[in-house]
Amino acid sequence: MIERPAVRVQSLRKAFDVPVRQPGLKASIGALFKRETREVVAVDELNFEVGAGEVVGFLGPNGAGKTTSLKMLAGLLHPTSGTAEVLGFTPWQRQPAYLRKMALIMGNRNQLQWDLPVLDSFELVRSIYRLPRQQFTDTRDEMIALLELGALVDKPVRNLSLGERMKAEIAGALLHLPAVLFLDEPTIGLDITMQKRIRTFVAEYNRKQGATVLLTSHYMADVQALCKRVIVIDHGTVLFDGGLQRLADEFGSTKTIVARLDVADGEKLDTYGRSATNRGDGTWSIQVTRSEVAEVTGRLLAEQAVVDLTIEDPPIEDVIERVFSRGSTPA
Amino acid sequence: MITAEPASGPIAETEPGRFREFRTNALWLWRYYTQFMRLAIITQFQYRAANYFYMIGMIAEPVVYLVVWSTIARTNGGSVGGFTPGTFAAYYIVWTLVRNINIVFTPFGWEQRIKDGELSGLLLQPIHPIHRDLAFFAGWKVIVIILWLPIAAALTLIFHPSLSPTVWQCVVFFLALWGAYLIRSMFLWALGLISLWTTRVSAIFQAYFMAELLLSGRLVPLTLMPKWARSLAGVLPFQSTFGFPITALTGPITDAQLWHGLLTQLWWIVVGGLIVKLMWRRGIRRFASVGG
């Protein structure tokens, strides 16, 4: 039996009518009588599926249509055309049963009660989502422990730092234990430690709840730590949909061989691959094309006193950039 | 970590029968309201000084009306249109409470709510956002009433109101206060929803407030207005939000008029609710969620 995907998107399109007006008084008066608009297509014929329990990175440059897509899947926006199904619901019908099963967390969002201690906001969440007292208390305490919120929950939200507030926001958004989680830049503006803690928490939540997660982030560390699969979009359409490794394989044209030698000999290593850089302490980085990897590695091992050798993919940022610049899925 | 209930837990889904479902939903809504009202009280207590200054500022308006009309009454041989300085005092002192109970989420707040992305957050919750506003402002009223009492006492000492309501009038007044609150909430919510169609709606709001000022009994008791204005006020909701609650307590008013007033309020609550429902259903499809 084929398992039903948690998220299914078919030919989804969202276009906005944006008012346009030429500068100057004449145009301004003209606009009183005839309002001109221009259609801006944010999402265009988007198609993908996400299996239950999957964590998928949803990547793209600014203006690619990521947030618009997530907002449609969360039921905030009605699409211009196309269909989407999340957990069997049509998101923009905004049925309470659906809203009780999903969460959209945006990095710049503040849903907590500004003037009240975090715990009071959590109590409100309990009443909104009709959570049984015991389940709520247990989940809340566990979230507080996992996100190290203990010292913060009795402070008014306005007194929390950005990172502290984000942690509290995430805890508040997950108290009803959503089965589908849309994360839009959840670590934006946070320091490295806080980013790491949130990543760990999301991974833990996915593992224990079996929740489906669709994540957008400009921090590739988020994507690498959480997602086995990525969907890359630009101009509202899918450019790539597959595993992170496949992305590197298909779009990363080069690899880096890092070799540590017993005796450093820069002259000789220059003849390997496209370029070689001495990192010091006898360690060299050699850029090679993918087809050259086996041959260059073989030569290195045969001709040099290699103590250690690793083969690295190019940084994921470079790969993604290559996807954007190419603008289509490779054949 | 705790595991979610298999059916994700809404109580209504686990109990068969429409009545039970209705009862469960009503109970849940009641709990939501009490919880949110409690939070509103806690929040507003933090701003008690600001609230007090706001209320003191607000009494300037009725005091001006009161002084002007009392002066006119005295120069007119002691009364005008049946109002004496004492009954004017009663009218405008009760006015101060009605006005405070009438404070609801304004249409101006809607522009900000959309711009800041707050509406997006509310749309993610499995409850209609109007309940949040109704609950929050209803909770705020508890603080308002507590703060109003000394103000009313001071105004009473200064202006000597003539007020002798019956128990039934007091009961109707209490109901009418909340009726006025609901009517004004519905109509200003509907007005605010226009923000989903256009971004600059302040002029429309101002026109509404001007009509309300003149045709509600806020500026002047409606019995002192010309006949055409009274007729117009009779077919608009404004009177139910100011004139009726005030007159219900201050009189003179018959039992039939009290009943008529309450039923009229009920009518406008239903009409307002339907307008909100219709506008919400259409407007939310246009929502661009640009603010977040």
Side-chain angles (χ1 to χ4, degrees):
Chain A
M1 195 176 104
I2 299 168
E3 201 179 336
R4 190 182 193 177
V7 181
R8 177 186 285 155
V9 173
Q10 287 177 321
S11 305
L12 200 63
R13 185 172 191 273
K14 179 68 186 178
F16 296 97
D17 281 333
V18 181
V20 285
R21 205 179 70 196
Q22 298 300 316
L25 182 64
K26 193 179 167 189
S28 182
I29 294 167
L32 290 173
F33 302 99
K34 193 181 174 195
R35 192 169 180 241
E36 283 184 35
T37 58
R38 180 165 52 90
E39 188 185 68
V40 174
V41 180
V43 173
D44 197 12
E45 292 296 315
L46 195 65
N47 293 285
F48 65 86
E49 288 185 357
V50 181
E54 246 191 307
V55 183
V56 176
F58 199 49
L59 311 178
N62 289 330
K66 306 182 297 289
T67 301
T68 303
S69 303
L70 288 195
K71 283 178 175 175
M72 282 192 279
L73 293 177
L76 292 180
L77 292 177
H78 282 250
T80 308
S81 61
T83 60
E85 224 179 60
V86 185
L87 301 172
F89 294 93
T90 301
W92 42 91
Q93 287 177 352
R94 300 186 55 256
Q95 289 170 268
Y98 172 60
L99 298 175
R100 278 195 283 268
K101 288 178 183 168
M102 73 94 199
L104 167 67
I105 299 173
M106 303 178 89
N108 58 353
R109 178 63 46 76
N110 181 16
Q111 284 308 301
L112 301 170
Q113 302 297 305
W114 188 249
D115 294 308
L116 299 175
V118 176
L119 281 177
D120 278 328
S121 287
F122 288 176
E123 279 294 328
L124 189 62
V125 170
R126 186 181 84 79
S127 63
I128 290 171
Y129 288 92
R130 311 181 182 200
L131 303 175
R133 169 63 68 187
Q134 193 57 49
Q135 179 195 319
F136 164 75
T137 310
D138 293 346
T139 312
R140 182 198 63 192
D141 293 348
E142 187 150 10
M143 297 273 180
I144 288 171
L146 280 171
L147 284 163
E148 297 183 2
L149 285 167
L152 311 174
V153 288
D154 53 358
K155 283 188 191 174
V157 173
R158 62 168 182 256
N159 293 345
L160 302 180
S161 70
L162 174 68
E164 290 170 342
R165 213 162 58 227
M166 194 60 212
K167 286 199 299 181
E169 288 277 356
I170 289 177
L174 300 184
L175 283 171
H176 63 290
L177 300 173
V180 171
L181 198 52
F182 301 114
L183 298 173
D184 190 17
E185 304 281 357
T187 56
I188 197 165
L190 304 183
D191 66 40
I192 300 286
T193 314
M194 203 66 85
Q195 286 179 24
K196 199 173 171 191
R197 183 162 308 289
I198 285 173
R199 265 178 232 136
T200 310
F201 176 79
V202 172
E204 186 76 352
Y205 184 83
N206 161 259
R207 190 177 67 78
K208 290 194 170 175
Q209 295 296 326
T212 307
V213 181
L214 198 54
L215 162 86
T216 78
S217 181
H218 286 295
Y219 298 129
M220 288 306 132
D222 289 350
V223 179
Q224 285 176 302
L226 293 168
C227 312
K228 287 198 178 100
R229 176 184 158 203
V230 291
I231 297 171
V232 183
I233 69 165
D234 196 11
H235 302 298
T237 48
V238 174
L239 300 181
F240 175 87
D241 183 351
L244 254 185
Q245 189 55 52
R246 207 187 102 207
L247 182 76
D249 291 347
E250 291 185 8
F251 288 90
S253 60
T254 60
K255 287 213 173 206
T256 304
I257 299 173
V258 181
R260 192 155 69 84
L261 308 182
D262 207 9
V263 180
D265 190 346
E267 298 271 328
K268 283 184 182 174
L269 290 200
D270 276 345
T271 62
Y272 295 87
R274 291 178 167 188
S275 65
T277 312
N278 191 345
R279 291 184 182 177
D281 296 334
T283 304
W284 286 80
S285 302
I286 303 161
Q287 298 292 320
V288 293
T289 60
R290 299 180 73 82
S291 58
E292 291 172 336
V293 172
E295 184 239 319
V296 173
T297 307
R299 273 180 59 207
L300 269 173
L301 291 171
E303 296 168 7
Q304 302 293 330
V306 178
V307 177
D308 191 18
L309 186 140
T310 53
I311 300 166
E312 295 174 356
D313 281 318
I316 195 73
E317 287 89 344
D318 294 352
V319 178
I320 301 273
E321 198 182 331
R322 186 177 286 268
V323 181
F324 296 154
S325 61
R326 201 176 293 183
S328 63
T329 311
Chain B
M1 193 177 280
I2 307 304
T3 309
E5 304 165 58
S8 138
I11 302 162
E13 285 175 15
T14 61
E15 291 186 1
R18 279 189 176 182
F19 176 72
R20 277 188 178 179
E21 190 178 320
F22 173 78
R23 195 189 58 181
T24 310
N25 283 334
L27 193 65
W28 163 65
L29 208 54
W30 168 254
R31 283 185 189 143
Y32 173 82
Y33 268 76
T34 50
Q35 178 69 25
F36 213 97
M37 285 170 73
R38 197 180 69 86
L39 293 185
I41 292 168
I42 297 169
T43 306
Q44 294 307 321
F45 255 127
Q46 291 181 47
Y47 296 110
R48 55 197 174 276
N51 269 313
Y52 221 88
F53 283 116
Y54 182 60
M55 286 184 74
I56 289 169
M58 193 180 279
I59 64 165
E61 183 186 344
V63 166
V64 169
Y65 300 153
L66 174 54
V67 170
V68 169
W69 281 106
S70 298
T71 307
I72 292 171
R74 284 193 192 93
T75 55
N76 207 35
S79 75
V80 55
F83 277 87
T84 64
T87 50
F88 269 126
Y91 188 91
Y92 284 111
I93 290 171
V94 176
W95 184 108
T96 57
L97 179 61
V98 173
R99 174 70 189 104
N100 278 294
I101 296 292
N102 260 337
I103 294 172
V104 297
F105 190 77
T106 67
F108 302 105
W110 270 95
E111 287 184 10
Q112 202 61 32
R113 173 175 272 183
I114 291 170
K115 213 183 293 175
D116 292 349
E118 188 196 335
L119 183 59
S120 297
L122 296 178
L123 286 172
L124 294 173
Q125 298 175 352
I127 184 167
H128 196 296
I130 198 169
H131 293 298
R132 177 194 170 97
D133 291 339
L134 286 174
F136 182 82
F137 282 89
W140 192 350
K141 304 307 171 204
V142 176
I143 305 295
V144 162
I145 291 168
I146 293 169
L147 297 180
W148 173 80
L149 289 171
I151 291 175
L155 290 173
T156 302
L157 286 173
I158 297 166
F159 293 105
H160 309 292
S162 305
L163 188 65
S164 51
T166 63
V167 175
W168 175 231
Q169 274 182 276
C170 292
V171 172
V172 173
F173 174 66
F174 177 79
L175 295 173
L177 278 179
W178 292 104
Y181 170 69
L182 285 175
I183 294 168
R184 207 158 185 268
S185 292
M186 293 300 164
F187 279 90
L188 292 197
W189 230 76
L191 212 54
L193 284 175
I194 299 173
S195 307
L196 293 171
W197 277 267
T198 175
T199 50
R200 293 278 177 259
V201 281
S202 299
I204 300 172
F205 303 158
Q206 292 298 350
Y208 178 94
F209 290 130
M210 183 55 70
E212 182 187 66
L213 182 70
L214 295 171
L215 299 170
S216 66
R218 175 174 171 169
L219 184 66
V220 54
L222 279 169
T223 50
L224 298 181
M225 296 287 277
K227 195 180 173 192
W228 66 265
R230 290 204 302 274
S231 303
L232 188 59
V235 294
L236 293 171
F238 309 124
Q239 190 180 354
S240 287
T241 62
F242 274 93
F244 170 64
I246 297 171
T247 315
L249 191 71
T250 60
I253 193 163
T254 64
D255 280 358
Q257 285 171 321
L258 287 172
W259 277 111
H260 180 262
L262 284 178
L263 289 172
T264 307
Q265 280 195 322
L266 189 62
W267 160 255
W268 285 119
I269 292 168
V270 172
V271 170
L274 288 174
I275 293 171
V276 164
K277 191 175 180 181
L278 191 72
M279 288 183 71
W280 175 256
R281 197 179 290 173
R282 295 195 170 202
I284 214 62
R285 293 180 68 88
R286 299 177 52 90
F287 179 50
S289 187
V290 286

